[in-house]
Amino acid sequence: MSFVFEAQQRTDLGKGASRRLRRDAKVPAVVYGGNEAAVSVNLDFNKVNVAQQQDAFYSDVLTLNVDGKEVKVKLAAVQRHPVKTHVVHLDFVRA
């Protein structure tokens, strides 16, 4: 199974910016590792929510299209809302 996500790089960081993203049905995430600097991105909540219901999402190499540039990543960490159990934040490491 192949997972491909459209991601937009974000420059506004912090708790307030993340809350605004979540209100707009986006999931804040960070891509780090390799020889490049860490990049903050956001993903579509609905696509992530559907994908996270499959076991392969947690172990396969995923593809992020960050502003037109394809990046291969693996999921490093998932933060979930404590009551609603939906995804709040994702950490990816470059593969």
Side-chain angles (χ1 to χ4, degrees):
M1 172 159 266
S2 175
F3 295 98
V4 179
F5 297 98
E6 294 297 323
Q8 295 80 35
Q9 188 169 354
R10 59 189 176 103
T11 56
D12 53 341
L13 306 174
K15 188 188 320 184
S18 294
R19 286 181 177 171
R20 284 189 294 276
L21 284 173
R22 291 184 195 109
R23 201 170 23 242
D24 293 336
K26 302 287 184 186
V27 177
V30 176
V31 179
Y32 58 87
N35 296 329
E36 298 179 36
V39 177
S40 296
V41 297
N42 62 56
L43 306 166
D44 182 53
F45 173 79
N46 293 326
K47 288 196 81 166
V48 170
N49 195 34
V50 169
Q52 62 97 24
Q53 295 173 2
Q54 300 176 11
D55 293 335
F57 176 72
Y58 300 96
S59 59
D60 285 358
V61 174
L62 314 172
T63 303
L64 296 180
N65 291 324
V66 181
D67 296 331
K69 180 182 175 189
E70 191 173 284
V71 180
K72 299 287 186 181
V73 297
K74 288 195 81 162
L75 187 63
V78 178
Q79 294 177 7
R80 298 180 189 278
H81 189 279
V83 176
K84 299 177 185 174
T85 67
H86 62 259
V87 176
V88 174
H89 188 273
L90 298 169
D91 286 354
F92 296 105
V93 83
R94 290 182 182 95

